Structure formats: C-alpha cells, structure tokens
Amino acid sequence: QGRINAAPFYSARTAKLFAQAAQACPLHAVAALVISPRAAEALASLPFKTMITAPATSAQALTEAVDTY
C-alpha cells in the first residue's frame, strides 16, 4: 500500500535532524529502529508506534534489529 512501517536511524545526528523535520508527520504506525540510546533520545518527542534500540552500537546490530522486526 506504499506505507512505511519502520525507519532505521544509524546515528544520533540523523535522528535529531529527522525529529526536527518530522514534527507534524503521522508516525503512529511507524517503528523507529535506532542504533543507540542517544538516537532514541533524539526521537523521543515523536509519536512512533514503537522504538527498538539495537543491542550494540554498530551497523551490524542495527541491521539485525531491522531484519528481526
């Protein structure tokens, strides 16, 4: 249906920039998959369906989180 159900964030900086740009976006059906607690903190003000933080701060760990979501 052309909908986004998950969005990966590979850095706290990217998450912060997205949060600034997406304040009015309807994110209630989107899961945020983040690389670190700092990235999660940057997105905390947005109404994501859920937020999953990778178990380690690495691209591999985030990729695995994306694959298992």
Side-chain angles (χ1 to χ4, degrees):
Q1 292 184 355
R3 294 184 184 181
I4 297 171
N5 64 359
F9 294 91
Y10 283 86
S11 73
R13 178 170 161 60
T14 302
K16 181 179 178 181
L17 292 171
F18 181 86
Q20 290 171 349
Q23 287 296 319
C25 292
L27 299 170
H28 62 277
V30 178
L33 303 156
V34 298
I35 197 165
S36 68
R38 283 185 54 211
E41 183 179 320
L43 297 169
S45 67
L46 298 176
F48 283 105
K49 174 182 172 182
T50 189
M51 191 170 316
I52 299 167
T53 303
T57 305
S58 70
Q60 179 65 34
L62 184 55
T63 300
E64 290 171 9
V66 169
D67 288 344
T68 58
Y69 177 74

